[in-house]
Amino acid sequence: MELGLTTFAELYPTDGRPAPTAAQRLRQVVDEAVATEAAGLDVYGVGEHHRADFAASAPAVVLAAIAARTERIRLTSAVTVLSSDDPVRVYQDFATLDGLSQGRAELMAGRGSFTESFPLFGLDLADYDELFEEKLALLLKLREERPVTWNGRFRAPLTDTVVYPRTDDRPLPVWIAVGGSPESVVRAGLLGLPLAIAIIGGEPARFAPLVELYHRALAEGGHERQPVAVHAHGYLADTEDAAISEFWEPYTRAMNVIGRERGWGRMSRAQFDAMRGPQGSLFLGTPEVVADKIATVRDTLGLDRFMLHTSVGTLPPEKVHHAIELLGDKVAPQLR
């Protein structure tokens, strides 16, 4: 199973320090990705957001900077908000990244859990589902090695068009990222695309029926088995007490900011403790605890990749780097 990290380049104050500037945080992200490769891990992902508390609004640019300082690690968006972007430009950005990185680029396409990008780019939230379906269909056509003729609702038509640059030796890898919608899972399966599931609450085991639904849709679409990945929040430290004390404040600060926007109550310590328990969604603790929990979810869901999102709140860089080292040195060998 592949292991890696993801980030949204969060911008929160923590540990008595002010929030970093966007420029500082983006440079920290590049350093974290370099450390992820040095730890022997497999993949690093950068999410797309268009708001004040996240610095990464252009994942392909950040990943290109990472590509220049790495040699082996896979580079993916986590996710690309395809609904509010132009599939032609998305394809060009990631095909360019693929060339710069010598074939290490991937794209995770999603509808987005935040909606700021829709008014920013002049789109109507009433078209939320239709935008994604149409733009995903066009993106997949653009990967093919033949001219595309296209006519849809949300962009200018294309007539016998090939979009450049092309990727070498393979189509651009495209995953579908979902948050738990059965319709999205079925779409991924019928299209024969790899599936990435964001698990940020509840019990990971409850996603087993969705994975089963995905496999049934793959079979119905006439496709071979495709990889399944999970993206989840968590953190590692040398002791359980250190992991809890270092993660509790920045994590709850970040989640409460989002919670206020969405009408959630403030996170209590009891909720936090339940989430870090054996059946919860937080992968938090010593390397042994985290490895056991990842192994359980791997076996329950049949995973091919697990991506840990550590800086949900903006943790100090030295602590993030130590967590990365523990993930590579202690967790990865147990899972492999």
Side-chain angles (χ1 to χ4, degrees):
M1 183 179 68
E2 294 180 335
L3 277 174
L5 277 86
T6 58
T7 186
F8 298 157
E10 290 86 345
L11 294 168
Y12 297 107
T14 191
D15 205 30
R17 310 181 189 190
T21 67
Q24 289 170 334
R25 186 72 187 101
L26 290 169
R27 292 193 292 270
Q28 290 172 3
V29 164
V30 175
D31 290 341
E32 289 170 14
V34 172
T36 302
E37 177 171 271
L41 299 170
D42 304 292
V43 59
Y44 192 86
V46 178
E48 174 190 345
H49 293 288
H50 302 268
R51 38 186 292 142
D53 47 353
F54 300 115
S57 62
V61 178
V62 183
L63 293 168
I66 294 169
R69 292 184 53 192
T70 56
E71 297 179 353
R72 178 192 55 80
I73 197 165
R74 296 180 188 274
L75 305 172
T76 184
S77 58
V79 302
T80 295
V81 185
L82 187 60
S83 306
S84 58
D85 212 331
D86 178 13
V88 173
R89 197 58 175 153
V90 168
Y91 179 85
Q92 290 176 322
D93 285 346
F94 280 84
T96 300
L97 172 65
D98 199 63
L100 291 169
S101 65
Q102 296 184 317
R104 293 185 281 138
E106 298 180 354
L107 189 156
M108 289 189 180
R111 294 184 296 177
S113 59
F114 294 91
T115 59
E116 289 84 0
S117 62
F118 289 82
L120 181 64
F121 297 112
L123 299 167
D124 190 339
L125 273 172
D127 298 322
Y128 186 77
D129 293 320
E130 292 81 2
L131 280 163
F132 184 74
E133 287 189 15
E134 179 176 302
K135 293 187 177 190
L136 177 61
L138 177 53
L139 177 66
L140 297 179
K141 281 185 173 293
L142 294 171
R143 299 193 308 166
E144 300 173 3
E145 291 296 331
R146 61 185 182 191
V148 172
T149 296
W150 171 264
N151 190 28
R153 286 181 58 198
F154 301 109
R155 78 167 324 276
L158 300 173
T159 303
D160 204 28
T161 301
V162 179
V163 174
Y164 297 102
R166 308 301 300 174
T167 53
D168 291 341
D169 304 324
R170 59 165 192 167
L172 177 69
V174 174
W175 295 60
I176 298 296
V178 304
S181 161
E183 294 80 9
S184 297
V185 166
V186 169
R187 178 191 293 117
L190 292 176
L191 291 171
L193 298 174
L195 179 71
I197 305 169
I199 300 180
I200 58 173
E203 297 184 1
R206 71 184 175 89
F207 288 85
L210 285 176
V211 176
E212 175 61 27
L213 180 63
Y214 169 65
H215 288 307
R216 293 205 305 269
L218 279 173
E220 183 178 335
H223 304 293
E224 297 180 352
R225 187 189 185 283
Q226 295 296 315
V228 176
V230 156
H231 159 274
H233 296 163
Y235 179 66
L236 297 86
D238 295 310
T239 68
E240 183 177 10
D241 286 346
I244 294 169
S245 64
E246 292 170 8
F247 195 69
W248 155 253
E249 188 276 333
Y251 178 72
T252 54
R253 178 195 295 267
M255 296 304 288
N256 286 335
V257 168
I258 296 168
R260 283 196 299 272
E261 298 175 4
R262 300 188 176 187
W264 305 340
R266 291 182 62 82
M267 181 174 289
S268 69
R269 184 55 185 263
Q271 289 173 309
F272 178 81
D273 288 340
M275 292 171 69
R276 68 180 180 85
Q279 309 304 320
S281 58
L282 273 182
F283 293 74
L284 176 68
T286 63
E288 293 74 23
V289 168
V290 171
D292 286 346
K293 195 165 183 178
I294 294 174
T296 297
V297 175
R298 174 199 62 195
D299 296 342
T300 301
L301 302 183
L303 297 185
D304 302 275
R305 176 184 290 181
F306 183 88
M307 299 172 291
L308 187 70
H309 193 115
T310 291
S311 278
V312 183
T314 311
L315 288 160
E318 63 274 13
K319 293 181 178 178
V320 174
H321 282 245
H322 186 54
I324 291 169
E325 291 171 2
L326 293 174
L327 191 64
D329 294 345
K330 302 284 184 70
V331 175
Q334 292 188 54
L335 294 172
R336 292 170 179 159

